[in-house]
Amino acid sequence: MTGSWTRRGFLGLSAAALAAGTAACTGATAPSGGSNAGKTPTSNNLRLFTYEDDTTIGNLKTAVAAFDAQNGTTTRVDSLPGSGAAVYPDKLRAELLGGSGPDVWRIWGGQIGAPFVKAQQAMDLAPYYQQYGWDSKINTNAIAGMTFNGTKAGVPIVVAAIGAWYSKAAMEKAGISSTPKSYAELEEMNDKLVASGTTPVTLGGKYGWDIMRLFEYLLEVSAGPDLHDKLLTGAESWDRPEVVTAFTNFKKWQDKKWLPNGALGLDPSDVEPDYVTGKAAYTLTGTWTEAQAIQSAKKSSSDFGTFQLPTGHTPERHSGFVEGYMIGARSGNPDKAAALLDYLLKPDLQATLQITSSTVTGAEPDKTKLPLSYEWTEINKTSPFYTIQDQAFPKQQADQYFSVQSDVLQGKMSPADAAKQMQTVVSAMAKQ
Amino acid sequence: MATATAVRVSAPAPAGAPRKKRYGGLTPWLFAIPALAVYATFLVYPALTSLFFSFTNWDGLSPGYDIVGVDNYVKMTQDPVVRQALLNNLIWTVVTIVVPVIIGLALATLLNGKVRGKTALRLLFYTPCVLPLVSIASIWGWLYNPDSGVINEVLRTVGLGNLAQPWLGQDSTALWAVMVPAVWLRTGFPMLLYLAALQGIPDELYEAATVDGATKSQQFWHITMPSLRPAHYIVLALSLIDSFKVFDMIYAMTYGGPGTATQVMGTWMYANVFQYYQAGYGTAIAVVITVIAVAVSIPYVLSQTKEHT
């Protein structure tokens, strides 16, 4: 190994050697991690990149247009709806490599957003936190989810909670009158649903992350909050009975047909709405499903219900994650980009944007329009969350983790071997 | 007279004449410069850049990196997913060449004869080739749905419900299930090439063979097949290169899963470059894919060069 190079240095050298045609490759300045703040803007054009759903992108565009009218900016909003954490970051990365990239982009926290900070593509927003007082306006836990090695590189807008969302009709058909209060009751409920001819939970494993929601819950049940957190950080070995129990239960869910047939190969976007159409009883998802799955299908929220998956531990936690916005380190106008973010964080605007799990105080969902999402506002007041596992692990390790889950469900790997294999994966991650 | 002059100018130079004069000096190169510039800028330069990055630990996003020599290539030899991907590539290549070529040849032979509606049939069989691949992947994904998909429904309807499978959801069937639509959409290409080649075979050959008492089978093996040799070569060479580069169909239908069951070199390269932030390692995989594809195409290019010199 020789001394460190810079990619742009290499490109610059190559461009000089080739003399023509490639000079454009060296045109942009290197990411500076926040050093642009306060500089004279090079442009009043902004570009915002998001994965907003088709049902809400119109609201965002309208809000941004209003900001432009007030601030003399011209902001283009691009969206990649429904792409999910498996695809959207790739597109963002390609854009950043291909030029300066968007000025502002939406991204998940944890290990999904972290690479953009590590690569100095996202600005340190600490000066803007101070300028706009975001620390006092935004949920502290959510800010932690957008803080990377001490750098506040994102402004969280969503602190999402994963729980069970169910069809009341399916429950009634199975003779179920109340939601489960323990893991044992949840298993009993599943048996009743199968007996009534309904698939209990609908999840798709095509990209790994959807079916992961079940396993991480089972791990919370068997390991409890403290050990679960230590497992995610590699502070405790995965090769232990609690993890074996979680994998054993995971397999049980498939063997007892509590999951859709062939769940591993199903696309989450195809099967998750099955609880709305009546093919399944419930799914594991977040509050966005009320607007995007229930109400977009012209169904009434009153025909559906939601509950926190019972863990039997104190505190009773649920899976959760953070989403927010970052500002590009090469943005031509970071001050206006930050002003745009502050504008989007206004509580009344959050409601307009149909953000049902806002990080902003006073932006709770409207109880009359989104009653089920509102229930989660109440749950969140007493129930903390553990990091959803595709945000807890870097993508490569998350994929290996999904692969282990896949092997367990197919019977190719025993629960005990899966626990050992996971320890190997996590150990390798620690060495990197 | 102008014609005579032109003939004189383009006539070969006498033996022993200076090389420059014999090949027309710099003039041909001047005409080639625009194409060469485009080729160098958009193919040679990116290729050399990729080659360079394959010797680095660049993450694909940061401005800096270190040169790590051949570490990425060594790592590849120890990567179990690369071994699985190469095996999958091999299986994919054999199946998606042999089956479409055989079916394509059969269809071409059939549709070259006196068949009613053969124009419509040709169009029908070639249509999958022009459909957007992502649409095909989505449609076949629905067809394979374990509960509501047509394939399992048909099996249940005809009393073969025990054969119904979660086709894309288990290691044992996923790769084969993705190959079925691949075969379906690739059959039209060899069919078209064979059809063109079949129409170039003189009818007199068959008439003479018939007079000599040759059966249809004998005519096929002794007239048709030898006459199709150039077409075989083109079909096989292009299919081989295309098959080894497979990415889109697998990415869209299984995302390389379940687990890593359907990973091929292309999807594994993509995962490393774009998802795992290991662009150095990913470009090393890309270099290996390119080297294999080039090695496969060399005989074809050489043969084409010989034919035209």
Side-chain angles (χ1 to χ4, degrees), chain A residues 397-421:
Chain A
Q397 280 72 34
D399 280 355
Q400 290 173 317
Y401 169 67
F402 300 149
S403 191
V404 169
Q405 293 177 1
S406 167
D407 285 349
V408 170
L409 287 187
Q410 292 184 74
K412 290 175 65 184
M413 190 181 280
S414 72
D417 287 342
K420 286 190 180 75
Q421 181 60 30

Side-chain angles (χ1 to χ4, degrees), chain A residues 32-383:
Chain A
S32 54
S35 61
N36 282 351
K39 285 186 178 174
T40 307
T42 56
S43 159
N44 258 354
N45 295 329
L46 294 173
R47 194 161 82 81
L48 186 152
F49 187 39
T50 183
Y51 42 87
E52 201 85 30
D53 192 76
D54 287 342
T55 55
T56 55
I57 187 68
N59 299 331
L60 179 65
K61 286 183 175 174
T62 304
V64 169
F67 172 84
D68 283 345
Q70 292 166 18
N71 292 274
T73 48
T74 304
T75 305
R76 198 175 101 201
V77 178
D78 292 327
S79 187
L80 201 63
S83 53
V87 175
Y88 174 82
D90 305 350
K91 177 75 164 59
L92 173 60
R93 178 189 171 285
E95 290 204 10
L96 288 165
L97 280 178
S100 61
D103 297 275
V104 174
W105 62 81
R106 185 166 170 169
I107 192 77
W108 293 266
Q111 291 297 328
I112 299 176
F116 297 93
V117 185
K118 188 180 169 195
Q120 300 172 43
Q121 294 283 2
M123 283 184 70
D124 178 359
L125 302 182
Y128 296 122
Y129 266 81
Q130 198 170 18
Q131 181 181 344
Y132 292 108
W134 287 337
D135 282 308
S136 58
K137 293 178 185 171
I138 302 172
N139 179 316
T140 309
N141 287 335
I143 293 174
M146 276 284 166
T147 303
F148 308 88
N149 287 331
T151 304
K152 287 176 179 168
V155 182
I157 51 162
V158 166
V159 54
I162 300 292
W165 289 71
Y166 65 93
S167 154
K168 288 181 180 173
M171 296 291 203
E172 282 167 17
K173 183 183 161 197
I176 299 162
S177 55
S178 63
T179 55
K181 298 292 181 286
S182 67
Y183 178 68
E185 284 184 23
L186 180 64
E187 288 200 339
E188 283 172 31
M189 184 182 94
N190 287 342
D191 278 334
K192 286 181 183 173
L193 286 164
V194 171
S196 72
T198 304
T199 301
V201 64
T202 179
L203 295 168
K206 181 174 175 183
Y207 305 105
W209 55 265
D210 198 40
I211 215 158
M212 156 205 80
R213 292 170 179 173
L214 172 62
F215 182 76
E216 66 191 8
Y217 160 65
L218 297 172
L219 189 59
E220 175 78 0
V221 171
S222 63
D226 187 47
L227 177 58
H228 189 174
D229 286 347
K230 286 178 178 166
L231 289 169
L232 294 185
T233 58
E236 287 283 358
S237 170
W238 283 69
D239 186 10
R240 58 190 310 123
E242 294 88 346
V243 179
V244 176
T245 302
F247 277 118
T248 305
N249 282 334
F250 190 50
K251 182 82 164 60
K252 182 180 177 183
W253 276 63
Q254 176 176 271
D255 291 348
K256 296 198 76 172
K257 301 191 185 305
W258 297 342
L259 288 167
N261 185 21
L264 277 174
L266 301 176
D267 191 320
S269 59
D270 288 340
V271 296
E272 265 196 20
D274 282 355
Y275 84 97
V276 177
T277 58
K279 288 183 188 169
Y282 66 98
T283 192
L284 307 183
T285 191
T287 52
W288 58 87
T289 194
E290 187 167 16
Q292 294 176 10
I294 296 174
Q295 295 183 352
S296 70
K298 309 291 180 203
K299 300 279 178 78
S300 167
S301 290
S302 61
D303 293 332
F304 298 86
T306 182
F307 63 90
Q308 182 175 3
L309 291 165
T311 66
H313 294 284
T314 305
E316 193 153 66
R317 308 192 304 173
H318 55 270
S319 163
F321 61 90
V322 171
E323 295 176 54
Y325 284 114
M326 291 179 175
I327 297 178
R330 282 179 276 155
S331 168
N333 195 347
D335 290 345
K336 281 285 170 62
L340 173 62
L341 294 189
D342 187 59
Y343 169 80
L344 293 175
L345 286 166
K346 294 189 187 311
D348 53 341
L349 195 62
Q350 293 269 296
T352 307
L353 297 176
Q354 292 189 311
I355 295 176
T356 52
S357 46
S358 173
T359 57
V360 183
T361 309
E364 292 78 16
D366 186 334
K367 192 176 178 180
T368 56
K369 290 180 182 168
L370 297 163
L372 299 172
S373 301
Y374 183 81
E375 279 185 35
W376 274 96
T377 306
E378 297 302 303
I379 292 172
N380 279 330
K381 286 178 183 170
T382 55
S383 173

